[in-house]
Amino acid sequence: MSATPETGPEARILTVLPRGRHAAPRPVVREAQRARMLSAMLQAVGDKGYARVAVADVIERAGVSRKTFYEQFANKDDCFLAAYDASVDELLAKIDEALEAIAPDWLAAHRAAVETYLDTLAAGPAFAKALLIEVLGAGPEALSRRAAVEERFAEQLENVHRRAREDIPEIPEVPPHTFLAAVGAVNELVTAHVLEHGAQTLPELADAIVDVQLALLVGRQVAAELASLAG
């Protein structure tokens, strides 16, 4: 079943107040309106694709006026980038939490991080499409933001590798580009799955992603030994 806007990351960037007039202070109202617009942008992009989305789609879904939209965003691109940033920040924070929660068991923490990543995308199909696919056609600034996000994912993997070497000293060092390559490999697997099957079944990829990342980070032989122990 497809996730509703209330369950996915595109909703959890929100601090929602009811639409229409109410007695909340203006800054609170403004923040709630912004949050609704960010959510609406991701939902519209998920439904129509970035190129086909107009400001009118966002304000209709968010229940705000055009004037309200332009009080906070310069244009459609500005709103999309804000929605992308907010959702990615939440996703990365959740992965960090998963990594820390099971420390110092680096292998279990790594798997929990992978599962958190996939579960979050599965719960927010619109966000998954924006993160993996639509950002590619949203202009140079969006591509720059995407590259920065991939660097942040690579840093998380570098931390996993460091913990693994502390636990298993025979694991060799790897060059820095390995971590970014591992991020790219995951992107390809996840994007292909979303295009072919949709985001809702992404958790099925957990074993494949853990296998690919461990092969790159600790070597195929150690990865196979770890897999046999886990099995």
Side-chain angles (χ1 to χ4, degrees), residues 66-158:
R66 186 172 292 270
K67 178 177 180 292
T68 295
F69 179 90
Y70 284 109
E71 286 175 348
Q72 301 208 38
F73 304 108
N75 49 37
K76 179 183 85 169
D77 294 348
D78 188 28
C79 183
F80 176 76
L81 291 173
Y84 178 84
D85 288 346
S87 297
V88 164
D89 284 346
E90 179 191 331
L91 173 61
L92 286 163
K94 291 182 68 175
I95 294 172
D96 280 335
E97 289 173 6
L99 287 169
E100 293 302 323
I102 313 180
D105 187 337
W106 69 269
L107 184 57
H110 176 54
R111 183 171 187 90
V114 169
E115 291 174 348
T116 296
Y117 171 72
L118 296 174
D119 289 346
T120 302
L121 294 184
F127 171 54
K129 188 175 180 183
L131 175 71
L132 299 166
I133 301 166
E134 296 302 327
V135 68
L136 298 174
E141 180 59 29
L143 293 178
S144 177
R145 304 282 180 96
R146 177 179 182 269
V149 169
E150 291 185 340
E151 290 285 355
R152 291 167 69 184
F153 278 118
E155 289 173 6
Q156 289 178 327
L157 290 179
E158 187 172 5

